[in-house]
Amino acid sequence: MKTALKTLTAGKFLAAASLTASLGFAPSAEAYTVYISNEKDNTISIIDSTTLEVTDTIAVGQRPRGILLTNDGKYLLICASDDDTVQVFDVETKQVVRELPSGPDPELFVLHPSGNPLYIANEDDNLVTVVDIVDNKVLAEIPVGVEPEGMGISPDGKVLVNTSETTNMAHFIDTETNEIFDNLLVDSRPRFAEFNKDGEKLWVTSEIGGTVAVIDAKTRKMITKISFEVPGVQPEAIQPVGLRVTKDGSRAFVALGPSNRVAVINGETHEVEKYLLVGQRVWQLAFTPDEKMLFTSNGVSNDISVIDTEKLRVIKSIGVGRFPWGVAISQE
Amino acid sequence: MTPITNLAKHEGCPSDALAQPGRNFRAKAPHAATLHKLLKALGFFAFLMPMTGGLIPMTAGTAAAESEEVAIAYISQIVERPPKLSNLDIPPEDEGLAGGLLSIKDNNTTGRFMKQAYALKHLEVPADGDVVAAFDALRAEGLQHFVLNVPADALLEMADHAKDEDVLLFNAGARDDRLRRADCRANVLHITPSRAMLADALAQFLAWKRWRNWFLVVGRRDSDARFAEAIRRSAKRFGAKIVAEKNWDYGPDARRTAQAEVPAFTQDADYDVLVVADEIGEFGEYLAYRTWDPRPIAGTQGLTPTTWHRTHEQWGAAQLQSRFLKTNGRFMAPLDYHVWAAIRAIGEGATRTQSTAFADIEGYIRSPDFELAGFKGQKLTFREWNGQLRQPILLTAARALVSTSPQQGFLHERSLLDTMGLDEPESECRFE
């Protein structure tokens, strides 16, 4: 009820709200658990993917932003940025059980496909910190450009990509040596990096540049640069941040920040197929494992939009805490 | 005559010095004639800071073997200082310079990947010194990128001296509208907003609040008169009315007398907001809570339009604030931000063109491709018709950000940012 009220007030979500009323069920039959970090509330909201309701809200460290689940699904790792730590949250007991040495101001991170180590972007120190999450120790610190943020890792685990927001580069790091072996200039304020599952392509979003770079992951050359145009939306408001590619590479979804849209991009032609109206200042995205639903965190409207990826429609908005930032979804 | 020993030599600033707040590493410049001779005779950079990786001491002419170097000069001359009314806000001695040093550091972090290095040479010229001669001397040394915090007249003289040379000037301090109008120069880019831009930013917010009737209070200085002029222009543009206007003539220090003076001074007017023009802060702080009617204060005090403030944390600004605070032990001031942005613009030029050649850097900065990420939620670009940097303007109270302009609903065919400041049709500026 609270959600409906909120969406009505926001005005823009009338369509989404009425759709919810008419559909009223989730397209995915599987039950997944969705975790949302609420940056300003210092909490994690837990959502049931079948009912699309918030089942729990749990207090964690200060300014939680990037979150991810460990490969065994037992722990949620939380960048508690203002506590300068990564918290290890036990999803069974719903408690923070320990902290990882993360370096200052951790914002985003990525796990090696094998499940260890963890690569953390430390914005304040121009470093990527490599942490063994089993032994709880720092393995390496890799100096990168100014304000490292986006973190992507190739499916074979050999190449780590970090983007630096003020240097405006994608840094290619060899995970064997923990050294940068190549850099590629991209548009202003690169925020997010994601590889295709086949390891062929790399996607990098540029928030201020307003573009998404599609990069040949092998040659590290730009294939194309995607621009966006939404009728009635100021070009300055189109700020690509979070991005997810389907496993088969056929589609990419990009969160466009204060334009309140998620762009659907054809994975082959790289053309924008559709813009979906979601909540305000859409930030990060996550698929359910069956890829039937995509969850978006909407920072300003304090809610989550749920997208039916087959029908390409927003089916529900779910009210969570203040400034929802990160989204992570259990594998089962 | 300033003794030679005052021209301090700083070769490669030790990093621990950077961490010490309040440490003065300015080179005090002597009068021009001496300066010129000195610089020639000694042939060194008064303040040269390569910061590739660690801090490598370096003198002029021994550029790092592997990296191409971009040398940038920062010249400041502060003529009008705020009165020492209180010990609340002590103006930092390295205001501007600290922003420049951080920007050099940022550029050098990027430069590491590009085999490019950046060095800053800083000169501070005393109020009675010849700042133009100092500029000429540095130009004679071969410097081409200048970031300047100098009065408008000096800026114009410098621009004219360098007219036929490959030299680019960044105005970090002069807010005079005329520099963006009839007195514009093709070789000057303005990082600092004009008074017109600041006043428009405020006026848009007051219009949104529907505070349409303004009481304008003007200080006794020329700068106050110019700010008041900008306020009158903005009132007209955004449909506000100046229903009363008075000059503050009670003298400079109102601390003991304001309670008696301000109520009478603001009586007999029917207005929504009191707009004050007191740029150096002689009396404006003493108006709040003392007006005859309970009214908010805006302008140079109260709700203030500015480019940067310690309350600004959105759009990643928290990161720049935190980097600056950690390095300098104080918050970033608007002047620090202007110098930072100018040097970052030069850095973008060198990075994007992968060249340290002046023509390439300048060409990129002036091209439509140029965009600067300046922690304002959208890219910053230059207006090609008068060289002004487009940027969102913060509206802030002392301890909380109130809003950011442009406000929603004010439209422009080119960029919403062009709803603030001197727009092309109203600017007499024409580059040859």
Side-chain angles (χ1 to χ4, degrees):
Chain A
M1 205 69 271
K2 205 174 162 195
T3 311
L5 260 176
K6 207 172 273 173
T7 50
L8 282 170
T9 320
K12 288 177 185 163
F13 307 107
L14 272 168
S18 59
L19 267 171
T20 309
S22 63
L23 292 170
F25 60 89
S28 171
E30 303 290 324
Y32 307 110
T33 311
V34 182
Y35 300 90
I36 308 292
S37 60
N38 298 307
E39 183 184 356
K40 302 270 172 182
D41 269 358
N42 305 331
T43 56
I44 298 286
S45 299
I46 300 177
I47 297 168
D48 181 320
S49 78
T50 47
T51 61
L52 298 180
E53 302 280 349
V54 175
T55 57
D56 215 342
T57 304
I58 292 157
V60 293
Q62 292 187 70
R63 205 173 172 214
R65 293 195 280 176
I67 52 176
L68 61 80
L69 283 152
T70 53
N71 283 12
D72 59 13
K74 287 183 180 161
Y75 302 102
L76 181 75
L77 304 182
I78 305 164
C79 286
S81 299
D82 281 358
D83 283 339
D84 297 331
T85 187
V86 170
Q87 297 186 316
V88 182
F89 177 86
D90 185 323
V91 298
E92 268 313 306
T93 63
K94 295 182 183 169
Q95 275 178 348
V96 173
V97 289
R98 62 187 170 104
E99 290 183 346
L100 295 173
S102 72
D105 196 22
E107 179 167 355
L108 261 178
F109 47 17
V110 68
L111 259 183
H112 191 275
S114 68
N116 198 23
L118 180 69
Y119 299 92
I120 307 168
N122 296 119
E123 280 203 311
D124 275 6
D125 279 16
N126 306 340
L127 287 176
V128 167
T129 303
V130 189
V131 177
D132 185 315
I133 61 168
V134 179
D135 295 347
N136 229 38
K137 67 172 189 202
V138 173
L139 300 175
E141 287 181 340
I142 309 164
V144 291
V146 183
E147 291 171 39
E149 164 121 1
M151 301 288 282
I153 193 155
S154 61
D156 62 8
K158 286 183 179 162
V159 180
L160 172 74
V161 168
N162 159 255
T163 64
S164 46
E165 292 176 342
T166 291
T167 291
N168 301 324
M169 281 181 187
H171 306 288
F172 293 80
I173 297 163
D174 182 335
T175 55
E176 289 281 312
T177 59
N178 286 329
E179 274 176 21
I180 294 176
F181 65 93
D182 204 357
N183 303 287
L184 181 71
L185 268 171
V186 292
D187 283 348
S188 297
R189 229 174 141 71
R191 294 297 299 258
F192 200 82
E194 169 127 320
F195 280 88
N196 275 24
K197 288 289 170 288
D198 63 6
E200 299 289 323
K201 278 182 202 166
L202 170 72
W203 304 69
V204 173
T205 62
S206 288
E207 184 184 22
I208 294 294
T211 57
V212 170
V214 187
I215 297 157
D216 183 319
K218 296 281 168 329
T219 62
R220 299 175 300 281
K221 299 266 185 285
M222 190 93 72
I223 300 170
T224 188
K225 210 157 68 176
I226 303 166
S227 299
F228 304 91
E229 209 174 320
V230 185
V233 173
Q234 286 298 323
E236 302 88 56
I238 296 176
Q239 301 181 355
V241 185
L243 182 146
R244 295 291 174 190
V245 189
T246 55
K247 282 176 206 144
D248 64 1
S250 64
R251 257 184 193 147
F253 292 80
V254 190
L256 297 180
S259 70
N260 312 333
R261 301 296 198 288
V262 167
V264 185
I265 298 171
N266 184 307
E268 294 302 319
T269 64
H270 307 128
E271 272 166 24
V272 181
E273 294 180 336
K274 201 168 178 183
Y275 293 99
L276 304 169
L277 180 63
V278 292
Q280 291 173 278
R281 203 218 62 180
V282 55
W283 215 235
Q284 297 292 347
L285 312 170
F287 286 117
T288 49
D290 60 9
E291 293 187 343
K292 287 189 174 158
M293 288 189 283
L294 181 76
F295 286 70
T296 78
S297 60
N298 311 321
V300 174
S301 49
N302 300 331
D303 57 11
I304 300 301
S305 297
V306 185
I307 294 169
D308 180 330
T309 53
E310 211 169 290
K311 298 199 173 85
L312 293 183
R313 278 210 300 238
V314 176
I315 54 166
K316 185 161 184 181
S317 52
I318 308 165
V320 288
R322 283 191 306 151
F323 270 71
W325 203 102
V327 190
I329 302 179
S330 71
Q331 290 303 306
E332 35 190 74
Chain B
M1 185 74 58
T2 315
I4 290 175
T5 48
N6 269 11
L7 188 67
K9 185 179 179 184
H10 299 275
E11 283 183 11
C13 184
S15 58
D16 59 346
L18 274 177
Q20 289 169 18
R23 173 164 171 162
N24 179 8
F25 25 87
R26 276 191 254 202
K28 295 279 183 215
H31 292 283
T34 328
L35 175 83
H36 189 71
K37 267 186 232 150
L38 266 173
L39 287 172
K40 258 194 139 169
L42 298 171
F44 63 70
F45 275 4
F47 193 65
L48 185 69
M49 280 213 36
M51 297 184 72
T52 319
L55 292 154
I56 310 151
M58 213 163 115
T59 48
T62 60
E66 288 169 16
S67 294
E68 301 258 332
E69 192 184 87
V70 183
I72 301 163
Y74 172 51
I75 305 177
S76 58
Q77 183 184 40
I78 299 161
V79 175
E80 220 174 14
R81 286 199 178 273
K84 282 199 171 151
L85 281 181
S86 75
N87 53 3
L88 292 177
D89 301 309
I90 298 158
E93 287 207 8
D94 59 351
E95 193 172 342
L97 175 62
L101 292 176
L102 182 62
S103 201
I104 290 281
K105 197 174 160 190
D106 285 355
N107 281 354
N108 274 327
T109 301
T110 302
R112 245 185 16 224
F113 306 111
M114 309 292 300
K115 295 203 186 313
Q116 293 172 337
Y118 299 80
L120 185 68
K121 177 172 190 170
H122 173 239
L123 277 181
E124 185 178 315
V125 179
D128 60 348
D130 188 342
V131 72
V132 180
F135 169 77
D136 290 342
L138 290 185
R139 244 171 55 246
E141 267 186 37
L143 276 136
Q144 293 173 290
H145 304 281
F146 287 87
V147 184
L148 303 163
N149 175 33
V150 299
D153 285 335
L155 183 77
L156 288 175
E157 216 179 313
M158 290 173 182
D160 292 342
H161 282 203
K163 200 170 73 179
D164 303 317
E165 299 169 23
D166 281 340
V167 167
L168 189 56
L169 278 59
F170 292 86
N171 170 22
R175 306 196 286 179
D176 306 61
D177 292 346
R178 67 185 171 108
L179 296 175
R180 287 85 170 164
R181 305 185 70 157
D183 285 345
C184 71
R185 295 290 186 273
N187 55 358
V188 181
L189 295 172
H190 305 277
I191 303 290
T192 183
S194 60
R195 290 187 177 89
M197 196 192 287
L198 295 168
D200 284 348
L202 177 64
Q204 288 189 7
F205 179 79
L206 300 182
W208 175 78
K209 285 293 298 170
R210 295 171 192 267
W211 291 343
R212 294 208 180 94
N213 297 315
W214 303 354
F215 186 152
L216 180 60
V217 179
V218 189
R220 59 178 175 155
R221 292 170 186 272
D222 289 346
S223 54
D224 302 335
R226 290 197 291 270
F227 189 82
E229 215 171 280
I231 290 291
R232 286 185 214 105
R233 173 188 157 281
S234 297
K236 227 177 268 171
R237 280 185 106 200
F238 295 101
K241 212 165 140 189
I242 293 170
V243 292
E245 181 175 332
K246 276 189 175 179
N247 293 318
W248 179 265
D249 47 15
Y250 290 97
D253 189 348
R255 274 176 289 184
R256 307 283 187 276
T257 51
Q259 192 165 345
E261 290 162 354
V262 177
F265 184 76
T266 54
Q267 216 176 345
D268 299 327
D270 185 13
Y271 63 101
D272 301 317
V273 56
L274 189 141
V275 180
V276 56
D278 172 25
E279 286 207 341
I280 67 163
E282 281 195 322
F283 63 93
E285 295 291 353
Y286 303 100
L287 299 174
Y289 308 108
R290 295 178 174 116
T291 50
W292 184 266
D293 294 312
R295 294 289 180 269
I297 313 285
T300 51
Q301 283 79 25
L303 180 66
T304 308
T306 186
T307 51
W308 196 258
H309 195 259
R310 60 181 177 154
T311 55
H312 176 44
E313 48 85 35
Q314 222 188 327
W315 304 306
Q319 287 148 217
L320 183 60
Q321 299 275 26
S322 128
R323 265 187 291 144
F324 188 94
L325 184 62
K326 221 193 262 181
T327 312
N328 299 292
R330 65 170 176 86
F331 282 100
M332 193 175 208
L335 182 60
D336 293 311
Y337 179 71
H338 302 160
V339 181
W340 179 88
I343 294 174
R344 277 292 302 125
I346 297 166
E348 275 299 290
T351 309
R352 296 289 170 186
T353 61
Q354 313 200 5
S355 164
T356 54
F358 175 84
D360 292 334
I361 294 174
E362 195 211 16
Y364 177 76
I365 292 174
R366 290 185 182 281
S367 79
D369 293 337
F370 176 81
E371 58 185 42
L372 187 66
F375 305 94
K376 296 283 189 83
Q378 57 177 288
K379 57 186 160 195
L380 313 183
T381 57
F382 288 102
R383 289 176 185 152
E384 63 277 18
W385 68 89
N386 69 359
Q388 174 68 53
L389 186 72
R390 295 184 178 96
Q391 55 190 316
I393 298 292
L394 313 174
L395 295 168
T396 183
R399 296 178 72 88
L401 190 72
V402 176
S403 187
T404 307
S405 284
Q407 299 294 321
Q408 277 195 350
F410 295 100
L411 302 177
H412 194 279
E413 56 187 345
R414 193 174 358 230
S415 157
L416 294 188
L417 294 175
D418 286 349
T419 60
M420 304 187 300
L422 302 153
D423 202 3
E424 194 171 13
E426 66 175 318
S427 171
E428 305 88 337
C429 178
R430 296 290 176 268
F431 295 146
E432 296 293 299

